[in-house]
Amino acid sequence: MKEVLPQFNSTFSIDCVVFGFDEGELKVLLIERNEEPFKDWCALPGNLVRVDESLDQSALRILKELTGLGDIFMEQFYTFGNVDRHPQGRVISIAYYALLRLGGDKALKPITSYAKKAFWKNISDLPKLAFDHQMIFEKGLEKIKRRIKHQPIAFELLPEKFTLTQLQNVYELIMGKKLDKRNFRKKMLSFGVLKELDEKQKGVSFRAATLYKFDRRKYAKLFGKEISF
Amino acid sequence: MKEVLPQFNSTFSIDCVVFGFDEGELKVLLIERNEEPFKDWCALPGNLVRVDESLDQSALRILKELTGLGDIFMEQFYTFGNVDRHPQGRVISIAYYALLRLGGDKALKPITSYAKKAFWKNISDLPKLAFDHQMIFEKGLEKIKRRIKHQPIAFELLPEKFTLTQLQNVYELIMGKKLDKRNFRKKMLSFGVLKELDEKQKGVSFRAATLYKFDRRKYAKLFGKEISF
């Protein structure tokens, strides 16, 4: 028999799908849960929304508490509401996603005891996840796949100066397929957000590639808008 | 002092932004509310989700009850969760949208007394709406503006056989701007979902235009995927 906690009769939570790009690998941020249900399971960082916070505020608060990460730009992408998705009652979950460039500065450390630890995991090597988090993860991945085709989100995953090959790698990793080099470059340059630098890649002996950075002003103008059609 | 009904402490609702295309006009489906709060106000069709139904099921049930419309393909697009969006407590709302071709066959008739009536209203002439429904409407419009650039949703708004001018009209109405005729045609034909018919527009004395229909098989293959890049 299923026991339903009264405070769970009908409520809502946030789950975060935070992607991190790290030297040619696409990773997702997970926690190890310290609370029932699904105690000791791996899960996306998520928790209940408080009555006095907006969904956007809640997403930031929850991510910070469970992983230590702050100042992350997250965007809502879907709300999951199957009747039986939570074993303790009716809980729908509003999912957010973010894309980060990983570096040594982003240490993970849960602030609350709700999570035992937080860690990055390569998306090709995910453990079994609590609740319907596998489905939430997949929908988040689908979302960034669609987004990256129309918005310059890839730039957020690269160092300030990058080669077109590095840029293409980000696209291929997210889209999960190889792209034609010539078409890719032509399309990318046509957006007008790339600035060619008078500088070559360092530490490469043979045919060092030209470095680019992106034009923040044009980028800001484009961001939030679609760039095709 | 704000009185908070206990059942409203924290719950969720559905609101539907249903767009209808009718001979050169883009309309949205509204109801006149028969219940507090916002009794007698115009609003998007919306109500609370029941504990035993998924969000998708709930959206269909609510739209049917408030407007009489059934068999509509609706898609979730955003969840609105500002703390004070509902005067009786914390209610977040999951918003769905749909696009319909209007015809005489789609009579509107509320099934429950929750709505006094349901009606179509031109989007350029909206009344003041209850709750944050103006914001929900605007986000829905923004959504279809983005969608129509990448997905063949416009076809759902046209008769089976249509001219390229009619197709362009749909795009211009949704995007809220004039499009270049030559570019538009070139792009549209490049998607490969249009079938040119051996048939001309009827009832036009001068330069009757060629009629097109869309290729359902190719359309089905494309639908749900992006068609640019």
Side-chain angles (χ1 to χ4, degrees):
Chain A
M1 213 183 65
K2 204 165 88 175
E3 201 183 317
V4 178
L5 303 179
Q7 73 273 28
F8 266 96
N9 245 343
S10 159
T11 188
F12 37 93
S13 66
I14 300 280
D15 285 305
C16 305
V17 188
V18 182
F19 293 99
F21 185 72
D22 191 9
E23 296 184 11
E25 291 195 349
L26 185 62
K27 298 179 175 178
V28 68
L29 184 53
L30 298 179
I31 61 165
E32 198 177 307
R33 290 175 58 87
N34 202 20
E35 303 277 338
E36 294 294 352
F38 292 101
K39 189 169 178 342
D40 303 326
W41 281 59
C42 292
L44 298 170
N47 208 337
L48 297 182
V49 176
R50 290 186 188 146
V51 75
D52 61 348
E53 63 190 1
S54 74
L55 301 178
D56 289 355
Q57 288 166 345
S58 182
L60 290 174
R61 193 254 312 157
I62 287 168
L63 186 69
K64 177 86 183 174
E65 283 182 1
L66 298 185
T67 70
L69 287 187
D71 282 328
I72 307 283
F73 175 75
M74 286 200 288
E75 203 171 342
Q76 194 197 111
F77 71 92
Y78 201 75
T79 296
F80 295 82
N82 282 345
V83 174
D84 291 325
R85 61 174 299 284
H86 197 293
Q88 294 176 316
R90 185 72 196 276
V91 188
I92 66 170
S93 190
I94 300 102
Y96 280 72
Y97 80 96
L99 277 164
L100 305 181
R101 173 175 60 235
L102 300 185
D105 54 333
K106 297 212 171 68
L108 299 177
K109 198 175 177 359
I111 293 168
T112 69
S113 61
Y114 189 87
K116 276 192 258 183
K117 62 172 182 171
F119 58 101
W120 294 102
K121 192 81 184 158
N122 194 307
I123 64 160
S124 62
D125 184 30
L126 291 188
K128 208 170 169 186
L129 300 178
F131 305 103
D132 54 356
H133 286 191
Q134 179 67 31
M135 195 203 294
I136 297 179
F137 161 75
E138 282 166 16
K139 190 110 182 170
L141 184 59
E142 201 183 281
K143 179 79 183 176
I144 64 166
K145 272 184 194 176
R146 242 181 299 141
R147 276 271 149 123
I148 203 171
K149 288 195 268 182
H150 306 296
Q151 295 188 342
I153 50 177
F155 300 112
E156 291 167 36
L157 304 182
L158 289 166
E160 201 198 337
K161 299 170 183 182
F162 50 85
T163 66
L164 291 181
T165 301
Q166 286 176 314
L167 182 60
Q168 185 171 343
N169 283 345
V170 175
Y171 273 76
E172 290 181 342
L173 218 51
I174 290 178
M175 293 172 69
K177 62 176 183 189
K178 288 276 167 202
L179 297 169
D180 178 74
K181 186 167 156 178
R182 242 183 82 198
N183 279 346
F184 178 81
R185 292 184 172 209
K186 201 176 133 195
K187 183 104 183 180
M188 271 300 143
L189 293 170
S190 77
F191 292 155
V193 295
L194 289 175
K195 252 192 201 161
E196 188 174 337
L197 299 174
D198 197 19
E199 216 175 311
K200 296 274 183 185
Q201 202 178 8
K202 288 191 180 70
V204 183
S205 53
F206 179 67
R207 287 236 253 171
T210 301
L211 290 171
Y212 289 79
K213 65 181 208 176
F214 74 88
D215 185 323
R216 282 187 181 273
R217 215 178 316 146
K218 288 193 182 151
Y219 175 87
K221 232 175 115 182
L222 279 173
F223 193 76
K225 291 185 195 171
E226 306 293 315
I227 53 186
S228 53
F229 206 90
Chain B
M1 213 180 66
K2 204 165 86 174
E3 203 182 319
V4 179
L5 303 179
Q7 74 272 30
F8 267 95
N9 246 346
S10 159
T11 187
F12 37 94
S13 65
I14 300 280
D15 286 304
C16 305
V17 188
V18 181
F19 293 99
F21 185 72
D22 190 8
E23 296 186 11
E25 291 196 348
L26 186 61
K27 298 178 175 178
V28 66
L29 184 54
L30 299 179
I31 62 164
E32 198 178 308
R33 289 174 58 87
N34 202 20
E35 302 278 336
E36 293 295 351
F38 292 101
K39 188 168 174 346
D40 303 326
W41 282 58
C42 292
L44 298 170
N47 208 338
L48 297 180
V49 176
R50 291 188 188 144
V51 76
D52 61 349
E53 62 190 0
S54 75
L55 301 179
D56 289 355
Q57 288 166 343
S58 182
L60 290 175
R61 193 253 313 156
I62 288 168
L63 186 69
K64 178 84 182 175
E65 284 182 358
L66 298 185
T67 71
L69 287 186
D71 281 328
I72 306 283
F73 176 74
M74 287 202 289
E75 204 172 342
Q76 194 199 108
F77 70 92
Y78 201 76
T79 296
F80 295 82
N82 281 345
V83 175
D84 292 325
R85 60 173 301 283
H86 197 293
Q88 295 175 314
R90 186 71 195 278
V91 187
I92 66 170
S93 190
I94 300 104
Y96 279 72
Y97 80 96
L99 277 163
L100 306 182
R101 174 176 58 234
L102 301 186
D105 54 331
K106 295 212 173 67
L108 300 176
K109 197 174 176 8
I111 293 168
T112 69
S113 61
Y114 190 86
K116 275 191 260 184
K117 60 172 182 172
F119 57 100
W120 294 101
K121 192 80 183 158
N122 194 308
I123 66 160
S124 61
D125 184 31
L126 290 187
K128 208 169 171 188
L129 300 178
F131 305 103
D132 55 356
H133 286 190
Q134 179 67 29
M135 195 203 294
I136 297 177
F137 162 75
E138 282 166 16
K139 191 112 181 167
L141 184 59
E142 202 183 279
K143 179 79 183 177
I144 62 164
K145 274 185 193 177
R146 242 182 297 140
R147 278 270 150 124
I148 202 171
K149 288 195 269 183
H150 307 297
Q151 295 187 341
I153 50 175
F155 300 112
E156 292 168 35
L157 304 183
L158 289 166
E160 203 199 336
K161 300 171 183 181
F162 50 83
T163 67
L164 291 180
T165 302
Q166 286 176 316
L167 182 59
Q168 186 170 341
N169 283 346
V170 175
Y171 273 76
E172 290 182 340
L173 218 52
I174 290 178
M175 293 173 71
K177 64 178 182 188
K178 287 276 166 201
L179 298 169
D180 178 73
K181 185 167 156 177
R182 244 184 80 198
N183 280 345
F184 178 81
R185 291 182 174 211
K186 200 176 133 198
K187 184 104 182 181
M188 271 302 143
L189 294 170
S190 78
F191 292 155
V193 294
L194 288 176
K195 252 193 201 160
E196 190 175 334
L197 300 176
D198 198 17
E199 216 176 310
K200 296 274 180 184
Q201 203 178 5
K202 286 190 182 72
V204 183
S205 53
F206 180 68
R207 288 235 252 172
T210 301
L211 290 171
Y212 289 81
K213 63 181 208 174
F214 74 88
D215 186 321
R216 281 185 182 275
R217 218 182 310 149
K218 288 194 182 151
Y219 175 90
K221 230 174 117 183
L222 278 171
F223 193 74
K225 291 186 195 171
E226 305 293 317
I227 53 186
S228 49
F229 208 90

